[in-house]
Amino acid sequence: MHTPNTSIATRSARGWALPGIANLHSHAFQRAMAGLAERQTDPADSFWTWRETMYAMAARFDPDLLRAVASQLYVEMLEAGYTTVCEFHYLHHGPDGTPYAQADAMSQALLRAARDAGIRITLLPVLYMTGGFDGRPLSARQQRFGHSVDAYLRLLDTLRISEGDTVRIGCALHSLRAVPSDPMHEVLTALPAASRIHIHIAEQLPEVEECIALRGARPVEWLLDSVPVDARWTLVHATHLDDGEVQDIAGSGATVAICTTTEANLGDGLFPLRDYLDAGGRWGVGSDSNSSVDPVEELRWLEYGQRLRAQRRNIASSMRVPSVGSTLLNGAVASAADSTGFNQSDVIVLDADAAILAGATEGDVIDRWIFSGNRPLVRDVEVAGARVVEDGRHRDRDAVAARYREAMKVLLA
């Protein structure tokens, strides 16, 4: 494992200081449906039936509603210890696919939400072109996601004007099933050299099987054989890998964004973490569908899922780095710059006066934070030199929550 064995926790005047955590994968609008897809709709409920609920919620959004929901989500992220969010954004147009008069209206809503909250954002507008590996057209419910290559590249060009200290604009290819090979190559050729590139891949077994049937290779295998994947790339999920793919992703320098709580919620499966760590792979975490907004839960259940599968303890550890918490957090911190495009360091401070951290040391405070329960321990958060969370409360928590409540009345009407 390429995990540092030095502590990244330091004691400050206000508590235990740690690097801010990057959330490598988020769909902000899905926060509005948290808890609303937990009723059986089919005896074989899966990701594919969950999508029906997601499509119904997606159809209700406009730019104002998206800004209100995203602002609330980003406040929650900051209070939990996320200081950067990679927003994988595909609600581009009106519900019937008609572009807004301002073509980037939905993207701008997310940038305003990030500015409202004070979180760094790597906005990843999504290219979404087809409904499956067979090239079938987008369904009626997917029309608002779609772009031609030319329109997509124009969108990226427009948005790059917004880049600054707390904003990066990257590229998201929705998935191999939604982006055919030729358009993918055309977009990749047109991107700036430093552009970050994210893609959903190998999340579901049916996706893997369809890719083998129609492209003659597993999804990750096809991607690595077809385009020059390097450290600019973040592969989201990559849940279903064979041994060769594990080794090849690690060798490419790409980062895997593991979204444990969403992968559990959707019944996706478990990422092969131990094999990937042994191969020297790079990884981070994301909240994805935002049914949970807490890096502690992502990291804890990343480890716990491995324990349940292996039926033993302390999977993400080694004799060199025996602390599971340090392995998990160090890995997430180490990959952040390559996935987000931000090199700046933000700070979160844990409440050293919290009873659960009594007697904590540099050597055990991360383990105690991640594996000690669910009481919030983040006291302060500083992003780009500004304190946005103090004593556990975001500076605009109440005003943002009030706008969110009004938005939810509309969305659920």
Side-chain angles (χ1 to χ4, degrees):
M1 292 185 293
H2 299 306
T3 303
N5 59 2
T6 55
S7 177
I8 57 173
T10 58
R11 185 65 187 263
S12 72
R14 290 184 61 81
W16 287 102
L18 298 168
I21 300 171
N23 184 339
L24 299 190
H25 192 64
S26 167
H27 303 296
F29 80 92
Q30 292 179 19
R31 182 58 175 166
M33 58 179 281
L36 298 180
E38 310 308 317
R39 302 175 67 86
Q40 188 181 79
T41 59
D42 186 289
D45 264 338
S46 67
F47 165 82
W48 306 99
T49 55
W50 169 88
R51 285 205 312 176
E52 301 305 310
T53 303
M54 183 271 286
Y55 286 148
M57 179 60 76
R60 300 172 189 173
F61 273 89
D62 64 21
D64 290 337
L65 293 171
L66 182 59
R67 179 180 178 180
V69 170
S71 296
Q72 173 66 22
L73 171 65
Y74 296 160
V75 164
E76 294 175 14
M77 286 184 186
L78 287 163
E79 289 185 344
Y82 289 123
T83 55
T84 300
V85 58
C86 294
E87 185 60 44
F88 201 100
H89 164 55
Y90 54 84
L91 294 188
H92 297 301
H93 312 304
D96 65 353
T98 302
Y100 289 100
Q102 179 184 347
D104 64 344
M106 295 293 270
S107 295
Q108 290 295 339
L110 291 164
L111 295 179
R112 292 186 185 102
R115 188 162 56 246
D116 292 343
I119 197 169
R120 293 186 194 273
I121 185 169
T122 300
L123 182 63
L124 300 163
V126 171
L127 179 62
Y128 202 130
M129 302 184 74
T130 57
F133 283 99
D134 58 2
R136 60 186 176 271
L138 299 179
S139 69
R141 292 166 301 177
Q142 295 170 324
Q143 290 300 312
R144 73 180 313 180
F145 312 159
H147 272 115
S148 67
V149 168
D150 287 345
Y152 178 70
L153 292 175
R154 285 197 301 272
L155 175 64
L156 295 186
D157 286 342
T158 299
L159 289 170
R160 288 194 193 102
I161 299 170
S162 302
E163 288 195 318
D165 289 345
T166 59
V167 175
R168 295 287 185 272
I169 305 299
C171 163
L173 306 166
H174 181 272
S175 56
L176 296 185
R177 69 178 185 271
V179 183
S181 177
D182 287 348
M184 177 181 293
H185 284 86
E186 187 176 350
V187 168
L188 294 176
T189 299
L191 292 177
S195 181
R196 270 46 184 184
I197 306 159
H198 291 226
I199 185 170
H200 290 135
I201 200 159
E203 179 181 4
Q204 290 284 328
L205 283 173
E207 172 193 355
V208 175
E209 293 162 358
E210 190 174 0
C211 189
I212 292 170
L214 294 177
R215 294 201 181 180
R218 299 171 61 84
V220 168
E221 176 189 12
W222 186 93
L223 182 72
L224 295 176
D225 285 345
S226 301
V227 298
V229 173
D230 55 24
R232 297 178 304 150
W233 285 73
T234 298
L235 309 188
V236 182
H237 303 303
T239 305
H240 300 287
L241 306 174
D242 66 18
D243 293 344
E245 290 171 316
V246 169
Q247 298 293 324
D248 290 344
I249 295 176
S252 74
T255 295
V256 174
I258 308 170
C259 307
T260 318
T261 60
T262 293
E263 289 151 6
N265 185 278
L266 299 180
D268 288 344
L270 289 168
F271 179 79
L273 181 65
R274 182 68 257 172
D275 291 344
Y276 189 64
L277 294 177
D278 289 342
R282 307 180 73 237
W283 59 276
V285 295
S287 60
D288 194 358
S289 66
N290 296 302
S291 56
S292 173
V293 188
D294 187 351
V296 165
E297 191 169 15
E298 300 298 337
L299 295 168
R300 181 191 301 151
W301 278 102
L302 177 56
E303 168 69 17
Y304 280 178
Q306 307 301 313
R307 295 185 187 188
L308 289 168
R309 180 161 64 181
Q311 298 182 54
R312 65 179 181 87
R313 302 188 69 250
N314 299 332
I315 307 299
S317 63
S318 65
M319 294 305 294
R320 188 176 68 87
V321 187
S323 163
V324 173
S326 292
T327 300
L328 295 171
L329 188 58
N330 274 316
V333 169
S335 68
D338 281 335
S339 283
T340 66
F342 291 108
N343 293 314
Q344 299 91 336
S345 297
D346 300 313
V347 178
I348 65 176
V349 178
L350 306 184
D351 183 4
D353 296 328
I356 199 67
L357 296 182
T361 68
E362 286 185 3
D364 65 24
V365 67
I366 297 173
D367 286 322
R368 293 175 70 169
W369 177 39
I370 295 173
F371 295 103
S372 65
N374 296 308
R375 290 194 176 188
L377 295 178
V378 175
R379 179 177 183 176
D380 299 335
V381 177
E382 294 185 3
V383 178
R387 186 172 292 175
V388 293
V389 173
E390 187 165 5
D391 294 328
R393 286 185 62 89
H394 188 274
R395 62 191 181 189
D396 293 321
R397 179 200 280 186
D398 293 340
V400 170
R403 293 193 291 271
Y404 175 75
R405 292 187 190 98
E406 290 305 310
M408 289 302 294
K409 289 179 184 177
V410 177
L411 289 166
L412 300 179

